[in-house]
Amino acid sequence: MSNQSIIDDNGTLAVVISIKRDDDAPFFPSNPMSGLITSAFLDEETADVCFEVSTEVDSDDGDEAALSPVTFHAHSLVLKTCAPMLASLFGSDGEEIAKSSINDVKPAIFRHMLHYVYGGSVEEGELNNHAKKDIINAADKYSIVNLKLKAEAAYMKSIKITMDNAMDNLLYADALNLALLKEVVVDFLAENHDEAIGSLSFDDVPGNVVKDLMVAFGRKMKGETNEGSNDGLNTMRVSELRMKLAEIGLDVDGSREAMIEALKANDNQSVDAGELNANAADDSL
C-alpha cells in the first residue's frame, strides 16, 4: 500500500491511497449458502409447502368479496429455521405439497415478508407509509422480528411527528410494542409539553404509556443518564436497550419495560451464577 498527498490550486489537500493486489494470493469464492437460500425463493420445483394468500375488498354493492388467492411456494426447512410461526401453519396431513391459507395480509406485503425470510431485502423506496405499516403489522403477527424493527425504523424516517398525528402514532406504537417509535413520540411530547397539554387528551392513554412520558420528561430535565447500573436502564434509549439484549442473545422485540426487565433478570442470573461459582471454589479448598 502507498499513499500520496496532493494540494490543488485552491489549497485543498487530497490524499490518494493505492493498494497493490498480491497476484500470488490464492482466490476462493465466498460461502454460497446465503445466496443459495435466497435463490430458492418461490422455487416451485423444490418447494414442499405453499401459501394461498388473499384479502377481502369492498365490492360495488358494499359487500366484502375475497380476491383470487395468490400462491407462494416455500420450503418447510427454511420456514422452521427463520419463521417458525409461518411454519406452524402447516399440519402433517400427508399431502405432497402442504397448503395454508392466509387472508389477513395483502399478497404484495406477504411477498416482501417471505422474501426477507429467504435472506432478501425490502427496499424502503418501494414502499409508501401504508405499506410500511402493513409490513410492521404482518411481521408482528408472524413474529419476524428483524423485519418488524427494520420496517419500524423505515416508517419513522418517512413521517414527521406533529400534534395532529402524535396520539395516533403513540397508541399504534404501544399496541404493537414499537418501542423506538413510541420513544420518538414521547420525546416530541416532552419537548412540546405546553402545547401537548393544551391540545391533546390523555384520558384514554394506558398507564404504561404515561410511564414512558414520565421517563421522557425526566430525561429532558436531567439529561441523558450514565450507563452501567440497573437505575441507568430505566432511562436508557431504546436502541441501546436493544443492542444490549442482542449482545447476550435475548429477544429484542417488546416494550421498553419488557426489555429493561429482561436485562435486569439477566444481570441477576449472572450475579447468582458468580456467587455459586465462588462458593463451589471455596468448598473445593
Side-chain angles (χ1 to χ4, degrees):
M1 183 178 72
S2 63
N3 62 74
Q4 181 180 8
S5 299
I6 303 173
I7 299 179
D8 62 18
D9 295 337
N10 297 321
T12 302
L13 175 64
V15 178
V16 179
I17 299 176
S18 59
I19 301 176
K20 183 179 180 181
R21 189 171 76 86
D22 185 358
D23 294 331
D24 295 329
F27 168 80
F28 49 87
S30 59
N31 190 323
M33 181 55 68
S34 177
L36 289 173
I37 293 175
T38 304
S39 68
F41 175 59
L42 301 183
D43 185 359
E44 185 174 348
E45 290 187 4
T46 59
D48 58 351
V49 297
C50 76
F51 298 94
E52 295 180 338
V53 183
S54 61
T55 54
E56 294 182 342
V57 295
D58 293 332
S59 60
D60 294 337
D61 57 7
D63 296 330
E64 288 188 339
L67 294 174
S68 298
V70 179
T71 299
F72 296 90
H73 287 84
H75 305 78
S76 57
L77 179 60
V78 175
L79 298 179
K80 288 176 182 178
T81 305
C82 304
M85 189 165 289
L86 285 177
S88 70
L89 298 178
F90 298 97
S92 54
D93 51 16
E95 292 186 20
E96 183 177 352
I97 298 288
K99 297 180 180 180
S100 178
S101 297
I102 292 180
N103 55 21
D104 54 2
V105 179
K106 298 173 184 176
I109 298 301
F110 187 85
R111 189 183 194 284
H112 281 304
M113 183 170 69
L114 191 61
H115 188 219
Y116 185 87
V117 168
Y118 275 75
S121 60
V122 180
E123 299 301 328
E124 296 179 22
E126 300 176 2
L127 308 173
N128 58 32
N129 287 347
H130 288 297
K132 289 169 187 173
K133 291 183 74 172
D134 286 343
I135 287 180
I136 291 172
N137 297 341
D140 179 72
K141 179 177 179 63
Y142 293 106
S143 296
I144 304 177
V145 173
N146 290 9
L147 177 60
K148 172 186 172 181
L149 302 189
K150 182 177 181 178
E152 175 195 23
Y155 175 71
M156 285 169 45
K157 286 171 58 178
S158 64
I159 64 169
K160 180 180 180 181
I161 302 298
T162 66
M163 285 297 165
D164 292 332
N165 65 23
M167 194 56 66
D168 287 342
N169 278 299
L170 182 61
L171 295 177
Y172 174 64
D174 182 65
L176 272 71
N177 285 327
L178 302 173
L180 195 60
L181 175 60
K182 185 193 287 189
E183 182 177 77
V184 169
V185 177
V186 297
D187 282 348
F188 170 82
L189 295 175
E191 289 291 335
N192 302 275
H193 59 278
D194 290 337
E195 184 180 357
I197 291 172
S199 60
L200 299 178
S201 172
F202 293 86
D203 293 342
D204 298 326
V205 172
N208 60 300
V209 176
V210 174
K211 183 176 180 180
D212 285 331
L213 286 168
M214 296 300 295
V215 169
F217 280 119
R219 195 157 46 215
K220 180 176 180 295
M221 297 298 293
K222 299 178 182 178
E224 302 291 343
T225 59
N226 294 326
E227 304 178 20
S229 68
N230 282 347
D231 291 336
L233 292 175
N234 292 325
T235 51
M236 190 173 287
R237 289 290 182 182
V238 166
S239 289
E240 192 170 358
L241 291 171
R242 286 176 175 173
M243 284 191 289
K244 285 182 174 291
L245 288 166
E247 287 172 357
I248 54 179
L250 296 180
D251 187 7
V252 298
D253 187 24
S255 66
R256 64 174 296 110
E257 291 83 2
M259 290 190 285
I260 289 169
E261 289 304 314
L263 287 169
K264 288 181 177 179
N266 182 75
D267 287 345
N268 291 336
Q269 289 177 358
S270 297
V271 171
D272 292 342
E275 292 177 350
L276 286 173
N277 290 336
N279 292 337
D282 290 341
D283 292 341
S284 64
L285 294 177

